Amino acid sequence: MGNIDNELQQKIFEDEIYQFQRVFQPSPQDIPIIDLFDNYASGKIDHEPEYQRKFVWTLAKQSYFVESLLFGIDTPIIYFVEVEKEVNGYKRIVKEAIDGRQR
């Protein structure tokens, strides 16, 4: 009986891992900076979720980053997770910056 329970537990564990991997597959996207700004301005992006550290870039670093954008230089990836949040009394899907907030 013990082997059956162990096998069943293993199958359940493997299925849960499979479901997690299937649901949480990253989907890389190249999004124009203007679209990121529009999403931010309309409240579709939360760049300050409670678990994010505070903004630490100096003015010089900010300036270099803007130069990189203007010259078309590749910039580091920003990672978002979609979560359901209440915004102005309505539930909506919002992208939270989980890494790359400084960018």
PDB file of all heavy atoms in Angstrom, residues 81-94:
ATOM      1  N   VAL A  81       4.825  40.719 -14.254  1.00  0.00           N
ATOM      2  CA  VAL A  81       3.884  39.644 -13.985  1.00  0.00           C
ATOM      3  C   VAL A  81       2.493  40.278 -14.029  1.00  0.00           C
ATOM      4  O   VAL A  81       2.298  41.397 -13.557  1.00  0.00           O
ATOM      5  CB  VAL A  81       4.145  38.950 -12.630  1.00  0.00           C
ATOM      6  CG1 VAL A  81       3.961  39.900 -11.478  1.00  0.00           C
ATOM      7  CG2 VAL A  81       3.261  37.724 -12.468  1.00  0.00           C
ATOM      8  N   GLU A  82       1.552  39.580 -14.655  1.00  0.00           N
ATOM      9  CA  GLU A  82       0.188  40.099 -14.719  1.00  0.00           C
ATOM     10  C   GLU A  82      -0.569  39.644 -13.474  1.00  0.00           C
ATOM     11  O   GLU A  82      -0.590  38.458 -13.151  1.00  0.00           O
ATOM     12  CB  GLU A  82      -0.511  39.619 -15.978  1.00  0.00           C
ATOM     13  CG  GLU A  82       0.055  40.245 -17.232  1.00  0.00           C
ATOM     14  CD  GLU A  82      -0.674  39.827 -18.493  1.00  0.00           C
ATOM     15  OE1 GLU A  82      -1.377  38.785 -18.479  1.00  0.00           O
ATOM     16  OE2 GLU A  82      -0.532  40.531 -19.504  1.00  0.00           O
ATOM     17  N   VAL A  83      -1.173  40.606 -12.798  1.00  0.00           N
ATOM     18  CA  VAL A  83      -1.951  40.317 -11.598  1.00  0.00           C
ATOM     19  C   VAL A  83      -3.294  41.036 -11.690  1.00  0.00           C
ATOM     20  O   VAL A  83      -3.432  42.032 -12.395  1.00  0.00           O
ATOM     21  CB  VAL A  83      -1.216  40.760 -10.316  1.00  0.00           C
ATOM     22  CG1 VAL A  83       0.073  39.977 -10.115  1.00  0.00           C
ATOM     23  CG2 VAL A  83      -0.934  42.234 -10.326  1.00  0.00           C
ATOM     24  N   GLU A  84      -4.269  40.503 -10.973  1.00  0.00           N
ATOM     25  CA  GLU A  84      -5.572  41.170 -10.911  1.00  0.00           C
ATOM     26  C   GLU A  84      -5.552  42.113  -9.717  1.00  0.00           C
ATOM     27  O   GLU A  84      -5.232  41.703  -8.603  1.00  0.00           O
ATOM     28  CB  GLU A  84      -6.683  40.143 -10.759  1.00  0.00           C
ATOM     29  CG  GLU A  84      -8.062  40.755 -10.823  1.00  0.00           C
ATOM     30  CD  GLU A  84      -9.159  39.711 -10.766  1.00  0.00           C
ATOM     31  OE1 GLU A  84      -9.419  39.073 -11.798  1.00  0.00           O
ATOM     32  OE2 GLU A  84      -9.718  39.540  -9.662  1.00  0.00           O
ATOM     33  N   LYS A  85      -5.852  43.366  -9.969  1.00  0.00           N
ATOM     34  CA  LYS A  85      -5.868  44.373  -8.908  1.00  0.00           C
ATOM     35  C   LYS A  85      -7.131  45.200  -9.022  1.00  0.00           C
ATOM     36  O   LYS A  85      -7.720  45.321 -10.087  1.00  0.00           O
ATOM     37  CB  LYS A  85      -4.673  45.324  -9.054  1.00  0.00           C
ATOM     38  CG  LYS A  85      -3.375  44.769  -8.622  1.00  0.00           C
ATOM     39  CD  LYS A  85      -2.342  45.872  -8.585  1.00  0.00           C
ATOM     40  CE  LYS A  85      -1.124  45.404  -7.853  1.00  0.00           C
ATOM     41  NZ  LYS A  85      -0.160  46.441  -7.651  1.00  0.00           N
ATOM     42  N   GLU A  86      -7.478  45.797  -7.900  1.00  0.00           N
ATOM     43  CA  GLU A  86      -8.586  46.735  -7.909  1.00  0.00           C
ATOM     44  C   GLU A  86      -8.007  48.130  -8.127  1.00  0.00           C
ATOM     45  O   GLU A  86      -7.161  48.592  -7.380  1.00  0.00           O
ATOM     46  CB  GLU A  86      -9.355  46.681  -6.601  1.00  0.00           C
ATOM     47  CG  GLU A  86     -10.633  47.482  -6.655  1.00  0.00           C
ATOM     48  CD  GLU A  86     -11.530  47.232  -5.471  1.00  0.00           C
ATOM     49  OE1 GLU A  86     -11.676  46.069  -5.070  1.00  0.00           O
ATOM     50  OE2 GLU A  86     -12.080  48.216  -4.958  1.00  0.00           O
ATOM     51  N   VAL A  87      -8.448  48.772  -9.192  1.00  0.00           N
ATOM     52  CA  VAL A  87      -7.990  50.114  -9.533  1.00  0.00           C
ATOM     53  C   VAL A  87      -9.220  50.997  -9.688  1.00  0.00           C
ATOM     54  O   VAL A  87     -10.084  50.728 -10.524  1.00  0.00           O
ATOM     55  CB  VAL A  87      -7.161  50.116 -10.843  1.00  0.00           C
ATOM     56  CG1 VAL A  87      -6.720  51.519 -11.202  1.00  0.00           C
ATOM     57  CG2 VAL A  87      -5.962  49.181 -10.732  1.00  0.00           C
ATOM     58  N   ASN A  88      -9.326  52.017  -8.857  1.00  0.00           N
ATOM     59  CA  ASN A  88     -10.471  52.931  -8.887  1.00  0.00           C
ATOM     60  C   ASN A  88     -11.797  52.187  -8.768  1.00  0.00           C
ATOM     61  O   ASN A  88     -12.763  52.512  -9.455  1.00  0.00           O
ATOM     62  CB  ASN A  88     -10.454  53.781 -10.151  1.00  0.00           C
ATOM     63  CG  ASN A  88      -9.232  54.664 -10.227  1.00  0.00           C
ATOM     64  OD1 ASN A  88      -8.725  55.124  -9.211  1.00  0.00           O
ATOM     65  ND2 ASN A  88      -8.751  54.908 -11.434  1.00  0.00           N
ATOM     66  N   GLY A  89     -11.820  51.156  -7.921  1.00  0.00           N
ATOM     67  CA  GLY A  89     -13.059  50.426  -7.684  1.00  0.00           C
ATOM     68  C   GLY A  89     -13.365  49.337  -8.697  1.00  0.00           C
ATOM     69  O   GLY A  89     -14.387  48.675  -8.592  1.00  0.00           O
ATOM     70  N   TYR A  90     -12.502  49.131  -9.696  1.00  0.00           N
ATOM     71  CA  TYR A  90     -12.716  48.111 -10.716  1.00  0.00           C
ATOM     72  C   TYR A  90     -11.571  47.108 -10.693  1.00  0.00           C
ATOM     73  O   TYR A  90     -10.423  47.480 -10.512  1.00  0.00           O
ATOM     74  CB  TYR A  90     -12.787  48.735 -12.116  1.00  0.00           C
ATOM     75  CG  TYR A  90     -13.933  49.682 -12.282  1.00  0.00           C
ATOM     76  CD1 TYR A  90     -13.744  51.053 -12.173  1.00  0.00           C
ATOM     77  CD2 TYR A  90     -15.212  49.203 -12.567  1.00  0.00           C
ATOM     78  CE1 TYR A  90     -14.801  51.932 -12.329  1.00  0.00           C
ATOM     79  CE2 TYR A  90     -16.273  50.085 -12.723  1.00  0.00           C
ATOM     80  CZ  TYR A  90     -16.064  51.442 -12.605  1.00  0.00           C
ATOM     81  OH  TYR A  90     -17.111  52.302 -12.761  1.00  0.00           O
ATOM     82  N   LYS A  91     -11.907  45.839 -10.876  1.00  0.00           N
ATOM     83  CA  LYS A  91     -10.869  44.827 -10.987  1.00  0.00           C
ATOM     84  C   LYS A  91     -10.349  44.833 -12.421  1.00  0.00           C
ATOM     85  O   LYS A  91     -11.129  44.864 -13.374  1.00  0.00           O
ATOM     86  CB  LYS A  91     -11.405  43.450 -10.628  1.00  0.00           C
ATOM     87  CG  LYS A  91     -11.621  43.284  -9.153  1.00  0.00           C
ATOM     88  CD  LYS A  91     -11.932  41.864  -8.789  1.00  0.00           C
ATOM     89  CE  LYS A  91     -12.061  41.754  -7.287  1.00  0.00           C
ATOM     90  NZ  LYS A  91     -12.249  40.398  -6.851  1.00  0.00           N
ATOM     91  N   ARG A  92      -9.019  44.833 -12.533  1.00  0.00           N
ATOM     92  CA  ARG A  92      -8.418  44.799 -13.862  1.00  0.00           C
ATOM     93  C   ARG A  92      -7.070  44.099 -13.788  1.00  0.00           C
ATOM     94  O   ARG A  92      -6.489  43.963 -12.724  1.00  0.00           O
ATOM     95  CB  ARG A  92      -8.280  46.195 -14.434  1.00  0.00           C
ATOM     96  CG  ARG A  92      -7.392  47.103 -13.602  1.00  0.00           C
ATOM     97  CD  ARG A  92      -7.481  48.534 -13.975  1.00  0.00           C
ATOM     98  NE  ARG A  92      -7.015  48.780 -15.322  1.00  0.00           N
ATOM     99  CZ  ARG A  92      -6.774  49.958 -15.823  1.00  0.00           C
ATOM    100  NH1 ARG A  92      -6.977  51.023 -15.091  1.00  0.00           N
ATOM    101  NH2 ARG A  92      -6.350  50.107 -17.041  1.00  0.00           N
ATOM    102  N   ILE A  93      -6.591  43.673 -14.932  1.00  0.00           N
ATOM    103  CA  ILE A  93      -5.283  43.038 -15.022  1.00  0.00           C
ATOM    104  C   ILE A  93      -4.236  44.136 -15.155  1.00  0.00           C
ATOM    105  O   ILE A  93      -4.336  45.008 -16.016  1.00  0.00           O
ATOM    106  CB  ILE A  93      -5.200  42.081 -16.228  1.00  0.00           C
ATOM    107  CG1 ILE A  93      -6.256  40.980 -16.114  1.00  0.00           C
ATOM    108  CG2 ILE A  93      -3.797  41.507 -16.371  1.00  0.00           C
ATOM    109  CD1 ILE A  93      -6.068  40.055 -14.927  1.00  0.00           C
ATOM    110  N   VAL A  94      -3.250  44.102 -14.268  1.00  0.00           N
ATOM    111  CA  VAL A  94      -2.180  45.096 -14.239  1.00  0.00           C
ATOM    112  C   VAL A  94      -0.850  44.354 -14.314  1.00  0.00           C
ATOM    113  O   VAL A  94      -0.708  43.276 -13.741  1.00  0.00           O
ATOM    114  CB  VAL A  94      -2.244  45.929 -12.934  1.00  0.00           C
ATOM    115  CG1 VAL A  94      -1.072  46.868 -12.816  1.00  0.00           C
ATOM    116  CG2 VAL A  94      -3.551  46.695 -12.866  1.00  0.00           C
TER     117      VAL A  94
END
